[in-house]
Amino acid sequence: MSATRTAPGLPEIEEARARLDGIARVTPVYRSETLSKLIGRDVHLKAENLQRTGSFKIRGAYNKIVTLPPERRAAGVVAASAGNHGQAVAWAAREVGAVARVFMPQDALMAKVDATRSYGAEVELAGPALEEALAAAQAYAAQTGATLVHPFEDPLVIAGQGTIGLELAEQVEGLETVVIPVGGGGLAAGIALALRAVLPRLRIVGVQATATLPGGSGFTIADGIAVKAPGELTSSILDRVLDDLVAVEDEEISEAIVLLLERTKLVVEGAGAVGVAALLAGRVGGSGPVVPLLSGGNIDATLLIQVVRRGLAVGGRYLVVRTRVPDRPGELAALLDLLARERVNIVEVEHQRESVGVPVGETGIALTLLTRDRAHCEQLLAQMREWGYPVERLD
Amino acid sequence: MSATRTAPGLPEIEEARARLDGIARVTPVYRSETLSKLIGRDVHLKAENLQRTGSFKIRGAYNKIVTLPPERRAAGVVAASAGNHGQAVAWAAREVGAVARVFMPQDALMAKVDATRSYGAEVELAGPALEEALAAAQAYAAQTGATLVHPFEDPLVIAGQGTIGLELAEQVEGLETVVIPVGGGGLAAGIALALRAVLPRLRIVGVQATATLPGGSGFTIADGIAVKAPGELTSSILDRVLDDLVAVEDEEISEAIVLLLERTKLVVEGAGAVGVAALLAGRVGGSGPVVPLLSGGNIDATLLIQVVRRGLAVGGRYLVVRTRVPDRPGELAALLDLLARERVNIVEVEHQRESVGVPVGETGIALTLLTRDRAHCEQLLAQMREWGYPVERLD
């Protein structure tokens, strides 16, 4: 790439903001009463999941593409992405009237492929993983003269993401701490550069997913930050602008997604929920008003179902229990009646007549019950044993 | 109740707005590109699901409670509710420093009981259904002198909900049609009274859930509008201010919830999604910019999972198919390999060794597959049959 590899300063971020005026949404900030109570300090959520295309990525992509000289713009743009960046490049290119091609790995979710296409990009599937898609994008750029839009290693992209910092400084009075997801690092670098310039004493904390750290499994539900490491440019910035860099587990991210969904009515993807997860886990530090950045909301509905189920199970809000009743009329009704008297909401009752391990003359039953918390789960299991039912917890 | 039973006028709604200033959020309006494309006209969403407590109800409840004379306020307030109204009364009473008691039916979801308590109300469970809770609330009011806050049959409550109309008139340029959920009718009455006064030529459409109409099953996922009929006062208003009153099915509501969740990143409860459902079903009429009111977001996470699964299935985004393979090593792998080559995302594979109807020597398999749409489901089923697998669609 031809872009100079130096960190953008406040003037570059302010220029980006002027370019994005009327293009990107100034996303709202909400104080969350539930989170403020849980965490013991004022929590304001920056709802960047409500940004156009569902993530912050259009800020950087647009700032990059709109500043291309006319002859470069005419040659089109290209990106490699399995998710938000591809959609953002497609969207931003359409806004400025440029042609976009996006290379995606073959197993990209069809919903993401369709969304990228719906913004007018040509999508090409290349290789099993993102590395092959990136190689294909580079080859395409070399061949056609199209400009490769990097997701983070570019001062113009970083400056675009930094506009969120300028908004935050105006939106939250008395702001003391900001918590930002870190994958490639462009978002955190941009926001921190902006905020260091206007609020020098602010505490700025980055959050990664544990699974993406060296030695981690590599798989995380926070796919938006599933990058092996920040880039060279972004690392050099993060090293000097972050006060701390912490990590959260997928289970913690799941719980944060469920909490945001239930209490704030916002759909937030894994990467967007890491800030809230870090706050709930007590890893952020500092005091006073804190803003976790909800960076995006592009979570596949099928994954969301799984995450919510898991989050509810982890939080003890859900109990799947297997038991057995004599295979006689009225026996299941008797069990359900006992549960009803305890005022337990039953979500699902499943007969498992032919299950392994169920003696002849008995019927296996799987019950899905709504519970209040982990203690309530334990209490219910004990109660069912006291009634004489053999119980085994499944979820 | 002592309140006079006449419809509020524009001055009363403007007074309510002044009282709610700094108390209720002025909820944002977003243009949805996806919905605008699908419906063929400009669609702007009024995101009242982002209101404090997750629904519009605090507008009316606060306007009622804050205008009680000091001696009435000191005697406290009482409400009967299984959901949003109870939370709103609890929240509004706390805001003005009044004591609140909320009677809820015994099978109310624990999440709603807990939320109502968390706003400081005393919750009492009374009777199997809302009717008994209401009787208990009335008895309590008679006994203690507490004021019963009715969810809709009260001019002050209606005026409070009407403040949404005043916001809308300012937020959406060229507004031509508004679509409002109708349960008890307080919300629609208030908004329509406000909008008729400031935009007389506007088209105003109310939406009910089919299941709540005479002859319907009574059960609907839009529990927020599961009222047998609007009240006397609200009916008399709706009769003269609505241009049309239409109804939507639960399946249509499910699809709308999923669409809002996936594309706009907003969690909207059943009642809040009926406007979008009516638009998608082509039942709204009129032309030009249209605003469906997303009245609330309080949907239980467990119900949300079921709704999303159903919505995805109805939309053909999800295919659960049962088949059989010979009970030999490699046979399941062979099937999965064929599916992988078709680039089908597999969510779940379930062995059903002991299923009824599976011959000895074969294994039952239930596959959950991600699909694009209904046509893609059909295509996949045909393809699997062509490969020689017996297939039965489950979901």
Side-chain angles (χ1 to χ4, degrees):
Chain A
M1 275 188 307
S2 58
T4 49
R5 300 262 185 156
T6 43
L10 186 58
E12 284 76 28
I13 300 172
E14 280 170 342
E15 279 168 27
R17 192 183 195 184
R19 291 183 197 116
L20 287 166
D21 183 37
I23 303 288
R25 287 189 181 127
V26 175
T27 49
V29 171
Y30 297 107
R31 181 176 181 281
S32 165
E33 183 173 325
T34 305
L35 281 168
S36 299
K37 267 192 200 164
L38 277 173
I39 290 159
R41 61 200 284 198
D42 247 25
V43 179
H44 300 262
L45 305 168
K46 174 72 169 166
E48 189 69 11
N49 60 322
L50 301 178
Q51 187 52 268
R52 293 180 202 281
T53 76
S55 98
F56 70 94
K57 290 277 188 183
I58 61 158
R59 296 178 185 255
Y62 183 83
N63 192 47
K64 172 69 179 179
I65 296 170
V66 80
T67 50
L68 289 174
E71 70 281 7
R72 298 293 319 252
R73 209 194 278 187
V77 295
V78 55
S81 165
N84 291 340
H85 176 58
Q87 291 183 48
V89 168
W91 186 91
R94 191 188 58 184
E95 285 292 307
V96 304
V99 169
R101 177 167 297 217
V102 178
F103 290 85
M104 302 179 90
Q106 274 166 355
D107 64 347
L109 286 174
M110 278 172 301
K112 302 224 168 179
V113 174
D114 290 347
T116 308
R117 274 204 186 110
S118 80
Y119 297 125
E122 285 173 40
V123 173
E124 202 163 309
L125 298 167
L130 194 58
E131 282 69 27
E132 286 85 359
L134 184 59
Q138 283 163 334
Y140 177 84
Q143 205 176 355
T144 63
T147 300
L148 183 67
V149 182
H150 195 279
F152 48 84
E153 286 283 278
D154 188 314
L156 283 159
V157 171
I158 294 170
Q161 326 300 31
T163 57
I164 295 173
L166 300 182
E167 290 175 16
L168 269 181
E170 293 166 8
Q171 287 175 310
V172 186
E173 230 175 304
L175 178 59
E176 293 199 14
T177 305
V178 171
V179 195
I180 316 168
V182 172
L187 177 68
I191 294 178
L193 285 169
L195 285 172
R196 280 273 169 263
V198 295
L199 295 170
R201 304 189 53 186
L202 193 73
R203 178 171 173 79
I204 307 178
V205 177
V207 187
Q208 295 178 299
T210 311
T212 65
L213 301 181
S217 71
F219 175 80
T220 169
I221 55 169
D223 58 322
I225 52 172
V227 173
K228 275 180 197 123
E232 203 177 308
L233 172 60
T234 51
S235 288
S236 72
I237 299 170
L238 294 181
D239 284 347
R240 65 186 167 86
V241 293
L242 289 189
D243 290 298
D244 204 354
L245 183 59
V246 302
V248 290
E249 304 282 344
D250 269 24
E251 292 230 323
E252 294 167 328
I253 300 171
S254 293
E255 280 199 85
I257 291 174
V258 174
L259 205 119
L260 288 163
L261 199 77
E262 282 201 292
R263 301 308 300 247
T264 69
K265 317 307 170 195
L266 294 172
V267 178
V268 178
E269 63 182 270
V274 297
V276 169
L279 277 166
L280 289 169
R283 278 175 219 138
V284 170
S287 60
V290 57
V291 175
L293 175 71
L294 312 181
S295 57
N298 291 328
I299 184 167
D300 185 74
T302 318
L303 177 60
L304 185 67
I305 291 175
Q306 293 169 330
V307 166
V308 172
R309 272 192 82 115
R310 185 168 155 188
L312 290 174
V314 168
R317 301 273 313 282
Y318 216 95
L319 174 64
V320 184
V321 58
R322 180 148 55 188
T323 186
R324 303 192 302 270
V325 298
D327 201 0
R328 280 193 303 266
E331 291 290 345
L332 175 60
L335 169 58
L336 298 185
D337 189 50
L338 283 168
L339 288 167
R341 282 191 216 166
E342 294 286 307
R343 297 201 314 96
V344 177
N345 294 115
I346 300 170
V347 180
E348 214 175 283
V349 179
E350 202 186 317
H351 272 264
Q352 303 179 315
R353 248 169 239 283
E354 291 83 9
S355 296
V356 180
V358 176
V360 174
E362 293 193 1
T363 299
I365 305 281
L367 296 170
T368 305
L369 309 172
L370 288 193
T371 42
R372 245 188 313 266
D373 50 31
R374 287 168 221 187
H376 189 212
C377 290
E378 291 308 320
Q379 184 200 320
L380 261 179
L381 288 168
Q383 179 68 73
M384 288 179 71
R385 283 195 194 99
E386 208 180 290
W387 292 334
Y389 294 95
V391 290
E392 180 197 350
R393 186 173 182 166
L394 295 183
D395 207 352
Chain B
M1 276 189 306
S2 59
T4 48
R5 302 261 186 157
T6 42
L10 186 58
E12 284 76 29
I13 300 173
E14 280 170 343
E15 279 168 27
R17 192 182 196 186
R19 292 183 197 115
L20 287 166
D21 184 36
I23 302 288
R25 287 189 181 126
V26 175
T27 49
V29 171
Y30 297 107
R31 181 176 181 281
S32 166
E33 184 172 326
T34 305
L35 281 168
S36 299
K37 266 192 201 164
L38 277 173
I39 291 159
R41 61 201 282 198
D42 247 24
V43 179
H44 300 261
L45 305 167
K46 173 72 167 166
E48 188 70 10
N49 60 323
L50 301 179
Q51 186 54 268
R52 294 181 201 280
T53 77
S55 97
F56 70 93
K57 290 277 188 184
I58 61 159
R59 297 177 185 254
Y62 183 85
N63 192 46
K64 172 69 180 180
I65 296 171
V66 79
T67 50
L68 288 174
E71 70 281 7
R72 298 292 321 251
R73 211 193 278 187
V77 296
V78 55
S81 165
N84 291 340
H85 176 58
Q87 291 183 48
V89 168
W91 185 92
R94 192 187 58 184
E95 285 291 308
V96 304
V99 170
R101 178 168 296 219
V102 178
F103 289 85
M104 302 178 89
Q106 273 166 355
D107 64 346
L109 286 174
M110 280 173 299
K112 302 224 168 180
V113 174
D114 290 347
T116 308
R117 276 205 184 108
S118 81
Y119 297 126
E122 286 172 39
V123 173
E124 203 163 309
L125 299 168
L130 193 59
E131 281 69 28
E132 285 85 358
L134 184 59
Q138 283 163 333
Y140 176 85
Q143 205 177 356
T144 63
T147 300
L148 182 68
V149 182
H150 195 281
F152 48 85
E153 285 283 278
D154 187 315
L156 283 158
V157 171
I158 294 170
Q161 326 301 31
T163 57
I164 294 173
L166 300 182
E167 290 174 17
L168 269 181
E170 291 166 10
Q171 287 176 311
V172 186
E173 229 175 306
L175 178 60
E176 295 199 13
T177 305
V178 171
V179 195
I180 315 169
V182 173
L187 176 68
I191 295 178
L193 286 170
L195 286 172
R196 280 273 169 263
V198 295
L199 295 171
R201 303 189 53 185
L202 192 74
R203 177 171 174 80
I204 306 178
V205 177
V207 187
Q208 295 178 300
T210 311
T212 66
L213 300 181
S217 72
F219 175 80
T220 169
I221 55 169
D223 58 322
I225 51 172
V227 173
K228 276 179 196 122
E232 204 177 307
L233 172 60
T234 51
S235 287
S236 73
I237 299 170
L238 294 181
D239 283 349
R240 64 186 167 86
V241 291
L242 290 189
D243 289 299
D244 204 355
L245 183 60
V246 302
V248 290
E249 304 282 344
D250 269 23
E251 292 231 322
E252 294 167 329
I253 300 171
S254 292
E255 279 199 87
I257 290 174
V258 175
L259 204 117
L260 288 163
L261 199 77
E262 282 200 293
R263 301 308 301 246
T264 70
K265 316 308 169 194
L266 295 172
V267 178
V268 177
E269 62 183 271
V274 297
V276 169
L279 277 166
L280 289 168
R283 278 174 219 139
V284 170
S287 59
V290 58
V291 175
L293 175 71
L294 313 180
S295 56
N298 291 328
I299 183 166
D300 185 75
T302 318
L303 176 61
L304 185 67
I305 291 175
Q306 293 170 331
V307 166
V308 171
R309 270 191 84 115
R310 186 167 155 188
L312 290 174
V314 168
R317 301 273 314 280
Y318 215 97
L319 174 64
V320 184
V321 59
R322 181 149 53 189
T323 185
R324 302 192 304 269
V325 297
D327 200 359
R328 279 192 304 266
E331 292 289 347
L332 175 59
L335 170 57
L336 298 184
D337 189 51
L338 283 168
L339 287 167
R341 281 190 218 166
E342 294 286 309
R343 297 201 315 96
V344 177
N345 294 113
I346 301 171
V347 180
E348 214 176 282
V349 179
E350 203 187 317
H351 273 264
Q352 303 178 314
R353 247 170 238 284
E354 291 84 9
S355 295
V356 180
V358 176
V360 174
E362 293 194 1
T363 299
I365 305 281
L367 296 170
T368 305
L369 309 172
L370 288 192
T371 43
R372 244 188 313 265
D373 50 30
R374 287 168 221 188
H376 188 210
C377 289
E378 290 308 320
Q379 183 200 320
L380 261 180
L381 288 167
Q383 178 68 73
M384 287 179 72
R385 283 195 193 98
E386 207 179 290
W387 291 334
Y389 294 95
V391 289
E392 180 196 350
R393 185 172 183 167
L394 296 184
D395 208 352

